Amino acid sequence: MEKTSSKDWILRFVKGMFIGSGFILPGVSGGALAAIFGIYERIISFLAHITKNFKENVLFFLPVGLGGLTGVFLLSFGVSFLLGEFETIILWFFVGCIVGTVPSLWKEAGKKGRNKVDTIIMGVTFVLALLFLLYGETLFDGQVEQNTWTWMMAGGLIGLGLIVPGLSPSNFLVYMGMYKAMSDGIKTVDFGVIIPIAIGGLVTVLALSKVMDYIFSIAYSKLFHFILGVVFASTIMIIPKDYTGFSLMEYGLCFLMLIGGTLLGSWMSRLEEKYK
């Protein structure tokens, strides 16, 4: 029993690291990963009814939280360099990670049944989300001034990425011209960046968790198919388009990254069932 408990703690820590990656990696959603790993509903339920089973939930989410913080800080050191030097190759790895988790998310969406309306919701959401993301860069125009209030807004977007699975907050931070500064702020432990982000994220999560919990209780399948539509749209958005000067070997690396990311995403999404 102790061995199983230890293994489960480590598993939740690793899941937390991946979920944390969704707050800093463009195109990756922490909320979607939480849903895929089977803990999204419990997170929302805990936040919506924070005094219910408080001690049990805190103990359950402790390794998830520690893993999330670890993931964010570790990735902040490498993500800017990797995306700067090998952007196309690394983005194919991200695409693979998301593709590998889609079967589990599809299964989760249909857990309580699936009908024609659910499929229509998914299709409409996909189109609308794709259009919004396509025009997001023009909308924000990379002109957002960086100050306490805009960092709180950035934190709000990150919190929204947890509450609305499939939404990648880093995509919008890139569009707003704040992504690199955020990574640097986390890497150098700049509290002028970290504290406003934390406040904005916390306020958003606490404000919207009850709403999401209520929607789950009355429209589980429809909400998850909405999530699927956003996941598909955000995945399309990060598929690399610039291959200027690429050699045959670099094309091969892109393919290997896609396969490797898919296998990793698929493996992680199956762990919940294996150790449940």
Side-chain angles (χ1 to χ4, degrees), residues 123-139 172 175 229-230 233-234 236-237:
V124 171
T125 302
F126 169 75
V127 173
L128 293 177
L130 188 60
L131 288 173
F132 180 73
L133 289 170
L134 282 170
Y135 289 101
E137 191 168 6
T138 304
L139 178 67
F172 299 105
Y175 299 152
V230 181
S234 62
I236 294 291
M237 281 300 299

Side-chain angles (χ1 to χ4, degrees), residues 1 32 39 59 105 171 237 255:
M1 181 66 71
I39 60 177
L59 292 175
L105 194 55
N171 277 359
M237 281 300 299
F255 178 73

